[in-house]
Amino acid sequence: MSTTEAPAPAGDRQVPTTVDVVVVGAGFSGMYLLHKLRGMGLSAVVFEAGTDVGGTWYWNRYPGARVDVESLAYSYSFDPDMEQRFEWQERYPTQPEILAYARHVADRFDLRKDIVFRTRITAAHYDEAERTWTVRTEHEDAVTTRFLVMATGCLSSSKLPEIPGLDSFKGETFHTAHWPHEGVDFTGKRVGLIGTGSSGVQSIPVIAEQADDLTVFQRTPAYSLPARNRKLTVDEIAGMKAGYRDYRQAQKESGFGVPTAIPTKSVLEVSDSERNAAFEQAWESGSLVNLLTTYTDLTVNQEANDKAKDWVHSKIKSIVTDPRTAQDLCPEYPIGTKRPCLDSGYYETYNRDDVHLVNLQREPLIEVTERGIRTAAREYEFDAIVYATGFDAMTGSLTNVDIRGRDGTSLKETWSAGPRTYLGIGSAGFPNLFMITGPGSPSVLSNMVVSIEQHVDWVCDAVAHLRSQGLTTIEATQEAQDAWVDHVNQVAGFTLYPKANSWYMGANVPGKPRVFMPYAGGVGEYRKKCDEVAKNGYDGFALTA
Ligand code: NA7
């Protein structure tokens, strides 16, 4: 696999042996945590596998990578002065622009001096007698800490297809989540790309422009809307900045961390022309949330969802000229139940003579060969293969670390039938271990920055509470956790989410338990619940002196 992640030079890292808080990950969560913890007078160290800050936006450098939330909304709210000063360029910023923002934040708060880069955590074990965690790294560092915060991100443990021969291919291979920092030139090359989630959908049009020939291997089609991306105007930026405080409040109270009009009608009660006009407007707006919130029932009622699904199918068929390719690109699962994508010219790309779609449902992948990829139908020859095959989402970055709580209990084993958390923040048996945007919280169903700030604030308030009360540990109770897991499942059961084989359900990783992992109750309602828990003396958590 081509990547420029150099192995860590052992000598250039300053690693403390004892701190108040160890944070794992220097993405948006880890950076804000470090800033807040310092402000509380606590000592903290952040461990980060990459060579700089940015998390998701550090790793995912594939061509065409962009966020699917608008820039002025996908940014920290905790520093109004920074909010006013930073100049966003595009409606949906590119990966380099977001990474530049993350670096700006790191510079502004001088964060890097407490971040140990090029260092993965391998284990974290709780010592019940001392009530501390000992965190170990790949370089044999050992740090003792009172609190451990896993700010490891929901989509950071990348995965490859589970087929034989991955190492046998003689050409170049790339994974979208480990893209070489200097970029890749596909000019004159025959490229094979596996995966049509967001990374595939965003990179396919850009790679197609460059490559001699591109073949896309699709297991499940994506629903994708045109992003209608553009440069932001001076007036737009000024208008947003003038109303930022009200906007931030609205984000916090919204369903997805992005304020939208609240729908009032069922799609089933309107005329065909009214419905088509509303969907057309959402499609033209370039906003995922607009489409899913056009009517009250699109995410909860199959018949209602079918209306939106059929409408998008007709759109796809109006763009893609080859009828068989167009049909293959039409998803059958309910729209919105796998993460929909925002694209720039995705469907149009399939009208090029040098782009081909292979439907893996008709001819499944068999193996990677020396020369390319073999499906059940034939062998395809390539100069380069791109894996846009996603992640072991939400739990992978937690269970990949050997986390052991009280009595040596392993987090991985405890979660073998699916993640079990209280509020997606803590897990019974693991005192003083916090997760940022963990399973059981809205996380990936929301604007991540909004959810990250909420969790970081909540965790820091909890730590401040313990300190002010002379308490040492906080741990989710089994009863509160069981009730929360039941609630998360119950809310998911009211929706159509469980109907799709999505990474929300763990369905993309063979053997992973099929459980709907994020909390579908909405950002605003969830925040109220977390605030209430804190106000009631951390109800559902056991606090000990
Ligand atoms: P995703 O959304 O998980 O997409 C991965 C794609 O790779 C998806 O189409 C998968 O098909 C496909 N895939 C994964 N494993 C295989 C195998 N073994 N064979 C064939 N195809 C496979 O990851 P992305 O990186 O695109 O996006 C992640 C998130 O980033 C996205 O949701 C946004 O939130 C931003 P499947 O659908 O599982 O059948």
Side-chain angles (χ1 to χ4, degrees):
M1 189 80 52
S2 298
T3 163
T4 52
E5 286 315 311
D12 68 347
R13 300 164 317 112
Q14 301 287 322
V15 183
T17 51
T18 309
V19 287
D20 294 321
V21 188
V22 165
V23 176
V24 186
F28 277 46
S29 309
M31 287 198 293
Y32 179 39
L33 263 166
L34 178 57
H35 171 64
K36 276 210 77 146
L37 293 167
R38 278 182 183 168
M40 293 164 66
L42 295 168
S43 60
V45 62
V46 180
F47 287 103
E48 166 57 51
T51 59
D52 202 357
V53 296
T56 284
W57 302 106
Y58 171 89
W59 296 102
N60 289 271
R61 296 168 189 247
Y62 59 82
R66 286 178 195 277
V67 68
D68 54 9
V69 176
E70 297 193 30
S71 53
L72 288 152
Y74 190 81
S75 50
Y76 289 122
S77 72
F78 72 83
D79 181 347
D81 182 55
M82 179 168 74
E83 205 173 57
Q84 292 297 325
R85 281 167 192 264
F86 192 81
E87 297 292 337
W88 290 102
Q89 304 296 316
E90 295 190 51
R91 181 186 185 193
Y92 293 111
T94 59
Q95 174 273 331
E97 192 177 352
I98 307 168
L99 186 58
Y101 173 71
R103 288 179 171 150
H104 168 83
V105 177
D107 291 343
R108 181 177 169 93
F109 300 109
D110 194 14
L111 296 179
R112 291 186 187 83
K113 69 171 189 255
D114 290 319
I115 304 175
V116 182
F117 291 105
R118 302 180 183 201
T119 303
R120 273 187 195 279
I121 296 304
T122 52
H125 294 179
Y126 186 65
D127 179 332
E128 204 158 356
E130 297 294 328
R131 299 184 176 188
T132 55
W133 285 90
T134 299
V135 176
R136 294 184 191 281
T137 77
E138 60 184 337
H139 307 300
E140 311 290 330
D141 310 300
V143 188
T144 305
T145 181
R146 177 73 69 204
F147 300 101
L148 171 61
V149 190
M150 298 301 283
T152 38
C154 298
L155 297 165
S156 39
S157 179
S158 62
K159 70 175 276 290
L160 289 162
E162 303 73 15
I163 48 173
L166 294 181
D167 292 333
S168 56
F169 181 58
K170 296 285 187 221
E172 291 178 297
T173 57
F174 307 94
H175 192 291
T176 46
H178 303 278
W179 205 258
H181 291 200
E182 70 280 11
V184 180
D185 184 1
F186 290 112
T187 306
K189 298 205 167 135
R190 297 162 304 163
V191 181
L193 183 148
I194 304 177
T196 50
S198 200
S199 304
V201 164
Q202 290 186 336
S203 59
I204 284 164
V206 187
I207 296 174
E209 279 288 324
Q210 209 178 51
D212 194 36
D213 195 86
L214 173 66
T215 303
V216 176
F217 295 84
Q218 170 192 275
R219 183 164 71 182
T220 313
Y223 286 100
S224 189
L225 267 70
R228 314 275 177 220
N229 188 44
R230 53 179 164 71
K231 288 261 184 235
L232 291 168
T233 66
V234 173
D235 287 351
E236 262 177 317
I237 296 172
M240 184 71 172
K241 287 187 173 177
Y244 240 144
R245 298 277 50 83
D246 289 345
Y247 183 79
R248 296 303 195 188
Q249 189 55 35
Q251 283 189 303
K252 291 177 181 178
E253 292 167 8
S254 66
F256 296 105
V258 180
T260 47
I262 308 288
T264 53
K265 287 183 188 168
S266 159
V267 69
L268 302 175
E269 70 186 56
V270 300
S271 67
D272 288 359
S273 61
E274 182 178 341
R275 185 180 67 234
N276 291 342
F279 287 152
E280 188 72 41
Q281 199 180 2
W283 180 270
E284 287 302 319
S285 75
S287 160
L288 293 176
V289 178
N290 282 357
L291 185 74
L292 296 176
T293 57
T294 310
Y295 293 102
T296 52
D297 41 3
L298 296 183
T299 57
V300 293
N301 178 311
Q302 183 69 60
E303 195 187 343
N305 191 285
D306 284 345
K307 300 282 183 200
K309 182 183 90 170
D310 293 346
W311 188 86
V312 174
H313 282 193
S314 68
K315 267 285 169 197
I316 295 170
K317 288 174 182 169
S318 74
I319 300 170
V320 179
T321 48
D322 175 52
R324 182 170 147 121
T325 306
Q327 185 59 48
D328 284 348
L329 287 166
C330 289
E332 276 310 321
Y333 55 87
I335 184 166
T337 53
K338 285 171 85 112
R339 177 89 175 202
C341 307
L342 272 189
D343 70 85
S344 300
Y346 176 63
Y347 293 118
E348 291 81 351
T349 298
Y350 290 98
N351 291 335
R352 299 175 63 117
D353 292 339
D354 55 2
V355 174
H356 324 280
L357 182 69
V358 175
N359 183 344
L360 296 177
Q361 287 173 21
R362 265 203 301 273
E363 45 175 303
L365 280 183
I366 301 293
E367 61 177 348
V368 174
T369 65
E370 269 188 29
R371 289 177 302 197
I373 293 170
R374 188 190 311 282
T375 68
R378 55 168 275 209
E379 184 179 14
Y380 296 82
E381 291 187 18
F382 301 115
D383 303 306
I385 296 178
V386 175
Y387 297 105
T389 39
F391 303 88
D392 180 356
M394 302 203 74
T395 53
S397 56
L398 297 166
T399 55
N400 283 347
V401 177
D402 178 27
I403 297 176
R404 291 179 187 269
R406 279 190 292 106
D407 308 319
T409 310
S410 148
L411 187 80
K412 187 175 180 171
E413 283 165 25
T414 308
W415 286 11
S416 59
R420 299 193 70 80
T421 73
Y422 179 37
L423 301 174
I425 295 176
S427 191
F430 301 86
N432 291 354
L433 170 73
F434 298 107
M435 291 160 266
I436 303 298
T437 65
S441 73
S443 65
V444 291
L445 296 183
S446 71
N447 175 349
M448 286 303 288
V449 188
V450 174
S451 291
I452 283 169
E453 281 194 335
Q454 187 240 333
H455 268 189
V456 170
D457 289 342
W458 194 97
V459 166
C460 289
D461 286 350
V463 170
H465 175 78
L466 292 183
R467 285 162 59 88
S468 71
Q469 302 298 307
L471 300 167
T472 318
T473 65
I474 178 169
E475 179 187 346
T477 67
Q478 198 68 55
E479 301 72 45
Q481 176 170 290
D482 290 347
W484 183 251
V485 171
D486 286 349
H487 176 61
V488 170
N489 289 333
Q490 198 182 22
V491 173
F494 290 139
T495 73
L496 298 172
Y497 283 119
K499 293 202 168 191
N501 289 323
S502 66
W503 56 255
Y504 297 146
M505 296 289 299
N508 63 330
V509 177
K512 193 166 172 172
R514 201 184 159 93
V515 175
F516 187 76
M517 294 184 286
Y519 176 56
V523 162
E525 287 306 309
Y526 171 79
R527 177 184 295 264
K528 275 192 218 155
K529 168 73 181 170
C530 291
D531 289 350
E532 194 183 288
V533 164
K535 201 167 120 222
N536 294 335
Y538 293 88
D539 196 15
F541 287 94
L543 311 186
T544 65

